[in-house]
Amino acid sequence: MTGVKILLTGAGGQLGRALMAQIGQGGSLAGTHLLLPVDLPEWDITNRAQVFATVREWQPDVVINCAGYTDVDRAEAEEKEAFRVNALGARDLSAAAFQVGAKILQISTDYVFDGEETIPRREYHPVNPVNAYGRSKAWGERLVRETNPRHFILRTAWLFGEGRNFVRKIIALSREKEEISVVADQFGTPTSAADLAQCILRLIQTESYGTYHATNEGESSWYSFARRILALTGIECRVKPVTSRELARPAPRPRYAVLENHMLEVSGLFKFRHWEEALAEYLQVEETGKRVYQ
Ligand SMILES: NC(=O)c1ccc[n+]([C@@H]2O[C@H](COP(=O)([O-])OP(=O)(O)OC[C@H]3O[C@@H](n4cnc5c(N)ncnc54)[C@H](OP(=O)(O)O)[C@@H]3O)[C@@H](O)[C@H]2O)c1
């Protein structure tokens, strides 16, 4: 598929940058797609007129929405703002895409689930978010489904790429301290933003619309994730396992938010590798300072 016109929102965020690295200048897919990257402060998804004008003028084939209100704790105090971005913004973008016959790809989250189960969640399991961020994302999913039948909704989790993320936070903290406390009773799947970008670029070439879980394979607690990061980097620091209750945060988190990539598996559209393999590659690149996306 060549010459696909893409409108990429949230282009400066973690996932946006991973997509840019592949389809933007210097990326392995550079030149195969026509890309319009947009982001704050110039472009605001909550500005309805701007959203519709951009889509009307650019006439994309595909809109990839990586813009998001992603501060899970702050969302508790700013739920309306989270809804404006994650629900209403997504709706307007999706409706604008529909007007020009474009596909919409919306990024959602494992936090749409309550985490009360102990087996990985499939796409058809009922959502029941436990925090404001999760509610805004779940409602965003629904509004995208209602406004554009040509939608892909990808639920992902625990992203690491270019930007602020858990991996970088653990490395920074462990260099400063002799011991760090990490939550051991929340489970999910660390996911490479670069791997997710590959999955996205595969899906948008198809007409296989619907909801997909899209994470690396495997599962982990934040505690085990932190230990793996330190083992791979060779940084000496004690990691103390603590409970969510001990490390009280403003937003409650789902306890077990592991996603099964069931729809990707059934359709045979994309296979993710194990998160530990993706993490090892990510850290190697962080160390050498050379980020390579294939
Ligand atoms: N990170 C994760 O672990 C994770 C897990 C599950 C799902 N997701 C979802 O994946 C998507 C991408 O996440 P990410 O990690 O790349 O997030 P990110 O690094 O926070 O990037 C989000 C981008 O959206 C932009 N943005 C925020 N408000 C906006 C607005 N009103 N209009 C236009 N752009 C706006 C941000 O700009 P500023 O930086 O200037 O605010 C930023 O560039 C989001 O939908 C998120 O909910 C992320």
Side-chain angles (χ1 to χ4, degrees), residues 9-17 38-41 43-47 65-71 74 81 84-86 106-111 133 137 154-160 162-165 193 196 222:
T9 69
Q14 226 183 159
L15 183 56
R17 287 209 235 170
V38 293
D39 208 337
L40 284 177
W43 190 92
D44 187 342
I45 200 170
T46 66
N47 181 339
N65 185 22
C66 295
Y69 183 111
T70 57
D71 190 325
R74 197 149 53 92
E81 183 55 18
R84 275 184 212 108
V85 177
N86 292 341
Q106 168 71 8
I107 305 297
S108 192
T109 169
D110 52 339
Y111 283 12
Y133 167 76
K137 296 295 288 185
L154 267 64
R155 294 187 187 131
T156 192
W158 299 21
L159 287 179
F160 55 88
E162 284 293 305
R164 275 178 351 118
N165 61 52
L196 179 59
W222 290 111

Side-chain angles (χ1 to χ4, degrees), residues 158 166 182-187 190 219-231 239 241 275-276 279:
W158 299 21
F166 182 80
V182 184
V183 169
D185 60 358
Q186 286 169 28
F187 299 84
E219 63 180 76
S220 175
S221 66
W222 290 111
Y223 168 74
S224 307
F225 186 15
R227 291 202 37 156
R228 193 79 202 124
I229 294 162
L230 296 184
V239 188
W275 69 266
E276 289 187 16
L279 176 66

